[in-house]
Amino acid sequence: LQCAGPGGACVIAPTAALPPITGPVLIDGYSQPGSFPNTQAPGLGLGSAAVLQIELDGAAASGADGLVINAPSLSLVEIHGMSLYHWNNAIHVQGPGDSSQLIGGNFIGLRVDGSLPTPVQATGIAVFGGHAVIGGGMAHDMNVIGGNSDGIRIGSIAPGSGVLVQGNLIGTSPNGLAA
């Protein structure tokens, strides 16, 4: 973990794949001092005003997925306020059809300052199981998903599962004005 001083961004750069998430958990990057969620309503063309302070950089983990969610039945996994880049899949959702994942307020494929790291990662968010909500209808739910070959990939999911993608900026900078 390297931090840019008091109130600055912290970079977590693992050298190998992280263990999968196998139970209920809240990963809240907004708990870092100096960070706060977006307050601008999605869909109004205002972009995201979120300030993130935690980066999860997969460059040294060579081809690994970032956060792999494989939580058991009836588990809730929430990921908020994180910047994830340089992964094969920044967030890879697996697991049974009755587990739930809430992914909101993140920069997927971008650094905390909204800049584009090179090379780009393969997929921002890959969903292959469980119920997933990517973004949502509230300002703080908006993800900025850019710098990926595929922004969101939804594959085969179990019957009764569902994926909601709502209120995100996909393929843009955080201000929503640049590709």
Side-chain angles (χ1 to χ4, degrees):
L1 175 69
Q2 293 186 7
C3 295
C10 294
V11 179
I12 303 167
T15 57
L18 298 168
I21 297 168
T22 57
V25 69
L26 167 62
I27 299 174
D28 185 5
Y30 292 123
S31 63
Q32 181 70 16
S35 65
F36 56 86
N38 177 47
T39 56
Q40 300 182 135
L44 297 180
L46 301 175
S48 174
V51 174
L52 307 182
Q53 298 291 340
I54 303 290
E55 295 183 346
L56 190 56
D57 180 356
S62 188
D65 287 345
L67 298 175
V68 176
I69 303 170
N70 196 1
S73 292
L74 305 177
S75 294
L76 175 61
V77 175
E78 296 185 57
I79 302 170
H80 307 285
M82 301 288 293
S83 163
L84 298 99
Y85 57 89
H86 284 149
W87 298 98
N88 182 43
N89 297 296
I91 299 175
H92 189 169
V93 178
Q94 303 171 349
D98 60 352
S99 62
S100 296
Q101 293 78 25
L102 303 176
I103 302 166
N106 302 288
F107 288 5
I108 308 293
L110 302 170
R111 291 190 169 98
V112 294
D113 63 4
S115 65
L116 180 64
T118 55
V120 299
Q121 63 194 11
T123 302
I125 301 172
V127 181
F128 290 89
H131 290 282
V133 177
I134 302 169
M138 303 298 290
H140 64 269
D141 295 328
M142 180 190 300
N143 293 295
V144 180
I145 305 170
N148 309 286
S149 296
D150 293 323
I152 299 171
R153 178 178 289 176
I154 301 171
S156 170
I157 57 174
S161 294
V163 179
L164 173 66
V165 178
Q166 179 182 15
N168 300 288
L169 292 176
I170 302 175
T172 72
S173 61
N175 66 12
L177 300 175

